[in-house]
Amino acid sequence: MQLVVGRIGKPHGVRGEVTVEVRTDEPEARFAPGSVLRTEPGAVPPPADGPGGPFRVPAELTIEEARFHQGRMLVAFDGILDRDAAEALRGTLLVVDSADVDPPEDPEEFHDHQLVGLAVVTPAGERLGEVSRIDHAPSSDLLVLRRPEGRTALIPFVRAIVPEVDLAGGRVIVDPPAGLLDL
């Protein structure tokens, strides 16, 4: 499974640097100089014709330098030397393979890809659906539950409502307050 760790934004300056919308909890590790990130094929813009002909987004980009500037991450990639090449990267998703990501050390912490696809059940064992994705809201993360009838429900990922995550058993136990799944 491919995990998105960033999305390339607009160019910064004229030497090929770009802004990156960071989508990882470990930007220092993911964007360390020398790191190689794959690009998401479905997210790339069409080739741009520049002075040197059409530019194609490479399948992989190597980090040359990364730094934070005024709250934004700025990244220079190997081989991206000017503003035109940087502009052609705009909108590209940067991904890593989930197999290359170490599991969290804290047993109460989970990566999104570990939760997606797990069955959601009540403490009594009643099946409520399946985790389809995780939404990261300002107040708490939300499990997006795909209900058996096709609807979706949002479940705050807090201990009071989600007392147990059983990765080995392939399930998330939830104890929703009355009416939560009807919203």
Side-chain angles (χ1 to χ4, degrees):
M1 170 186 271
Q2 298 295 314
L3 305 176
V4 177
V5 296
R7 183 181 155 277
I8 297 176
K10 64 183 181 178
H12 179 80
V14 297
R15 296 195 175 123
E17 248 183 345
V18 295
T19 61
V20 172
E21 175 189 323
V22 176
R23 296 187 184 174
T24 176
D25 290 342
E26 302 170 327
E28 294 80 13
R30 297 280 170 243
F31 295 95
S35 296
V36 177
L37 298 173
R38 288 189 277 280
T39 59
E40 180 63 44
V44 297
D49 288 329
F55 178 85
R56 302 231 184 262
V57 175
E60 295 182 337
L61 292 167
T62 302
I63 307 290
E64 193 172 275
E65 180 185 357
R67 61 191 169 93
F68 280 97
H69 175 70
Q70 295 181 345
R72 293 184 298 178
M73 177 165 272
L74 300 179
V75 178
F77 295 105
D78 186 41
I80 306 300
L81 305 175
D82 61 29
R83 188 174 184 88
D84 290 334
E87 179 64 43
L89 295 175
R90 187 188 292 235
T92 301
L93 295 178
L94 302 169
V95 299
V96 297
D97 192 304
S98 60
D100 298 335
V101 177
D102 294 330
E105 293 178 16
D106 183 351
E108 297 295 314
E109 186 178 326
F110 306 95
H111 291 297
D112 292 3
H113 72 277
Q114 293 176 294
L115 300 171
V116 172
L118 295 182
V120 177
V121 299
T122 65
E126 175 191 354
R127 185 173 169 85
L128 299 173
E130 179 180 289
V131 177
S132 63
R133 72 175 190 273
I134 312 301
D135 285 351
H136 300 281
S139 60
S140 73
D141 293 337
L142 298 167
L143 298 176
V144 179
L145 172 66
R146 183 175 37 248
R147 302 278 288 151
E149 66 275 5
R151 294 180 325 138
T152 60
L154 300 176
I155 299 175
F157 194 24
V158 295
R159 181 168 293 285
I161 298 172
V162 184
E164 184 180 348
V165 174
D166 180 7
L167 292 178
R171 64 191 186 139
V172 177
I173 298 173
V174 299
D175 190 10
L180 179 68
L181 301 179
D182 298 327
L183 295 176

